[in-house]
Amino acid sequence: MAASSVALLALCLLLLLLLLSGWKHRRRGRAAQHVVIVVLGDVGRSPRMQYHALSLARRGFAVSFLGFCNSKPHDELLQNDRIQIVKLMELQGLTVGPPVLRYGVKVVFQAVYLLWKLLWREPAAYIFLQNPPGLPSIAVCWFVGCLCGSKLVIDWHNYGYSIMGLVHGPKHPLVLLAKWYERFFGRLSHLNLCVTKAMREDLAENWHIKAVTVYDKPASFFKETPLDLQHELFMKLGRTYSPFRACSEPSGPAMERSAFTERDTRSGEVTRLCGRPALLVSSTSWTEDEDFSILLAALEKFEQQAFDGDSLPSLVCVITGKGPLKEHYSRLLDQKHFQHIQVCTPWLEAEDYPLLLGSADLGVCLHTSSSGLDLPMKVVDMFGCCLPVCAVNFKCLHELVKHGENGLVFEDAEALAAQLQMLFSKFPDPAGKLNQFRKNLQESEQLRWDESWQRTVCPLVMDM
């Protein structure tokens, strides 16, 4: 009796899907100018997919952007009438049962929920999917594409199984299952994009997936910040974060001062303070593939060098972002008693992050890549703001950071400390290496995201 009931339920579900598929196919004429973008993650922390959405909208597509809404996306996305953000619900607070069972329940819930969300939307010509995370979204998006006639485009940012391997180990059964799943369903897509030449070659050689490299490029709003906007940003951040506040009184009653700048309220003229601290910025998702103990050790060495009388400035170190390891590193930072260094860990509004990068003196990147095949988008954004970078070395970093031209590459904390000492010696030095890197970036005429997208992705989409 129970078996017949299950069979009847399965038959009814199949008939419902067939009816829905026929209804979707009859409405396919509307789909030509509609694209669905799927991110099983935070929309606000998925800049590359935001850029895809904006580029598609500029070319006349209506875009439905499905993802979690934990942080605010960029205003340009929110103000675009062609883009609709569709909030996905997260399954949180599941604490009963072993971790494997909880993970299984989460995957099943996400699969059913995402399937329901996609099937009850207007049919789309294309489904753009960010991977990772791809479990269960690759299979669900492929299935919906089969039902509705949508073409699946996977944008490979990394391998999901390699990120799982950082937590569980590369030989864990879940990691091996995730690897098989990614490889099997990844082959079913109509078009594959990836972020590096190394990943394109790896997909072709090991997974038999033909992909097109679409390098991350900075959006148009990542640029050097004018001095007056720098001052406004510093004053705004100073209301919450003490390292941005002035350490001394303004030079006159009509003057307004931050830690870095001073503004004459009568004329509006802004000047940099003499003897100002250097501003170092690092952006992170606070995950296992970024070892911030390297930066902490380098800062300790810098502190000692400054204490010993080396010609070094005071340093304000700003580490932006959210993530699971933030509390751990925040506790370690609280235990430090720096005299020449101030550290703060803000979460910035989407509009303030480019302004901060465009105001900084040096960027530091500790991203190492779980697969060794992706590149840190934070460095792309820093270069868009003509901000020199010190980046920890890994397999394909040379595709982005040119050692000695637009920044420096280091292997460990000792090397980073030596680079900080060299770059900030006699700061600010117009003839110094730091300033030379900035000039090289200013003269490089970097291609922006939308121009790159027009050349690479647009022809592929139009020809599908």
Side-chain angles (χ1 to χ4, degrees), residues 167-323:
V167 178
H168 302 291
K171 300 299 183 183
H172 192 281
L174 270 180
V175 176
L176 297 176
L177 177 63
K179 183 176 182 179
W180 170 86
Y181 163 89
E182 237 173 332
R183 182 171 56 226
F184 178 81
F185 282 100
R187 293 173 183 167
L188 302 178
S189 60
H190 295 84
L191 175 63
N192 292 277
L193 311 175
C194 63
V195 293
T196 62
K197 178 183 175 183
M199 178 170 280
R200 184 191 72 204
E201 293 171 349
D202 189 77
L203 282 167
E205 182 178 344
N206 297 318
W207 292 28
H208 305 294
I209 292 174
K210 183 180 178 181
V212 177
T213 301
V214 181
Y215 283 113
D216 285 324
K217 298 292 181 183
S220 58
F221 42 78
F222 283 98
K223 55 190 176 183
E224 291 184 272
T225 306
L227 193 56
D228 57 334
L229 293 183
Q230 289 187 32
H231 179 76
E232 289 179 17
L233 176 69
F234 296 149
M235 295 302 295
K236 175 182 177 180
L237 294 175
R239 290 194 284 271
T240 308
Y241 304 105
S242 59
F244 291 94
R245 296 173 196 154
C247 298
S248 58
E249 292 299 318
S251 56
M255 305 301 286
E256 179 183 72
R257 178 175 286 191
S258 73
F260 307 91
T261 52
E262 189 171 61
R263 176 176 175 267
D264 187 326
T265 57
R266 294 166 299 189
S267 66
E269 181 184 5
V270 178
T271 55
R272 290 187 175 90
L273 290 178
C274 181
R276 69 180 178 89
L279 178 56
L280 182 151
V281 174
S282 187
S283 173
T284 178
S285 53
W286 298 106
T287 51
E288 288 82 0
D289 60 356
E290 293 181 286
D291 184 0
F292 263 80
S293 65
I294 294 175
L295 179 58
L296 294 184
L299 291 177
E300 288 182 319
K301 182 73 172 176
F302 185 92
E303 170 80 5
Q304 185 60 49
Q305 291 164 342
F307 186 78
D308 290 343
D310 287 9
S311 180
L312 296 172
S314 297
L315 188 65
V316 172
C317 178
V318 182
I319 308 172
T320 72
K322 291 180 180 178

Side-chain angles (χ1 to χ4, degrees), residues 367-387:
H367 175 89
T368 53
S369 175
S370 59
S371 65
L373 299 172
D374 69 310
L375 290 171
M377 194 163 190
K378 64 198 77 178
V379 173
V380 175
D381 296 336
M382 290 172 181
F383 284 168
C385 295
C386 298
L387 177 64

